[in-house]
Amino acid sequence: MTVIVTGGAGFIGSNFIFYTLKNHPGYRVICLDKLTYAGNLSTLKDVMDKPNFKFVKADICDREAVYALFESEKPDVVVNFAAESHVDRSIESPDVFLRTNIIGASVLMDACRKFDTERFHQVSTDEVYGDLPIDRPDLFFTEETLLHTSSPYSSSKASADLLALAYHRTYGLPVTISRCSNNYGPYHFPEKLIPLMIANALNDKPLPVYGRGENIRDWLYVEDHCKAIDLILQKGRVGEVYNIGGHNEMRNIDIVKIILKELGKPESLITFVADRKGHDLRYAIDPAKIHGELGWLPETKFADGIKKTIKWYLENRSWWEEIISGEYTDYYDKMYSNR
Ligand code: NAD
Ligand code: DAU
């Protein structure tokens, strides 16, 4: 079994590679990644020398490079994690989101058609459903919820989902789609809420909470997401969408307070800043389908997962300190100074 994992030098893709190599030692895993600002080769250092692993630097929008890779490797399965993934960046510059997240996905699907790949799995997001009201805790996103996006990021992801379903119906391409809630865990790029707050707290810098911190996200430990995708690849039905989430809704402000408490830092570091434009209020996944059909359930409770995550950031300071000392400082200044 040969699996191409695109975007495998990023947060979830790298965790998926570790999960797959550990649980399916007989598989060959090829990571295709452009190494944008969010991709990091050092993340893959422990698997780089494995005989059944290979890294290829390429852009998923580069049709020639993608076809050449498919020609030589003849993948059985392609799992597409490659994307521009940060909502705030999409609000600043949508173009690259449309290119990578839509055109890139279509190039990969064309390659799957051309080389008769047995499965194309599109890693999508709960953000394609838009948001839910904060005062209606009885409402959840199901696979039937209408697509209703808020940001250029979520619109680009929804576009790729529609293309994947169209490739299935029109060309019979064997696609599956998963829409997951917010992930956290090791190797999460420090522009995102949890690692940003951990890094700032450790450096005694202000913790910039958007608005009043009342927005709600549904957090899932990254390994549980990887396990769900693996199950979909093994037992999922082609042409189907599977929501992934573990009923773990939390307000941003409460997450930030948990991080401060765990690190023994004062709440006076919390700074309320201008809200994100178009900020989604609440995400909440109904995972009944993946539970009922595939038997998936999350294994890591948030109380344990956040402790493990903080411990990882404490023990791997060089990984994130190198990131936040580079071009990231320009990004941080642009997004947060005078906010
Ligand atoms: P990330 O930003 O950490 O990593 C993205 C990876 O894709 C990087 O390694 C980057 O170099 C690579 N990449 C970007 N553009 C590329 C291109 N044109 N060609 C090849 N490689 C390219 O993202 P992440 O948080 O790991 O998210 C992975 C996927 O999961 C994305 O598709 C995202 O939409 C989806 N997702 C993320 C979350 C979350 O909470 N992070 C939740 C649900 C779904
Ligand atoms: O729901 C899945 C999505 O989760 C994925 O599709 C995205 O790729 C991923 O980035 C994530 O999107 P969010 O926008 O929810 O994640 P982010 O970490 O950027 O923000 C989480 C919440 O925290 C959100 O309500 C905005 C808020 N926030 C974020 C940052 C970076 C702050 O209050 N301050 C911050 O500095």
Side-chain angles (χ1 to χ4, degrees), residues 18 40-50 53 187 316 319:
F18 305 147
N40 200 330
L41 259 195
S42 77
T43 300
L44 297 171
K45 65 178 184 331
D46 290 346
V47 297
M48 237 10 161
D49 292 335
K50 281 192 174 286
F53 176 75
Y187 300 107
N316 293 274
W319 182 86

Side-chain angles (χ1 to χ4, degrees), residues 19-52:
Y19 183 92
T20 303
L21 289 171
K22 187 172 152 203
N23 291 285
H24 302 288
Y27 285 15
R28 286 181 68 234
V29 176
I30 295 151
C31 171
L32 184 168
D33 198 296
K34 186 184 177 185
L35 296 180
T36 66
Y37 79 92
N40 200 330
L41 259 195
S42 77
T43 300
L44 297 171
K45 65 178 184 331
D46 290 346
V47 297
M48 237 10 161
D49 292 335
K50 281 192 174 286
N52 57 339

Side-chain angles (χ1 to χ4, degrees), residues 150-167:
S150 311
S151 70
Y153 162 72
S154 54
S155 306
S156 68
K157 294 295 292 184
S159 305
D161 286 13
L162 292 175
L163 269 178
L165 293 171
Y167 272 60

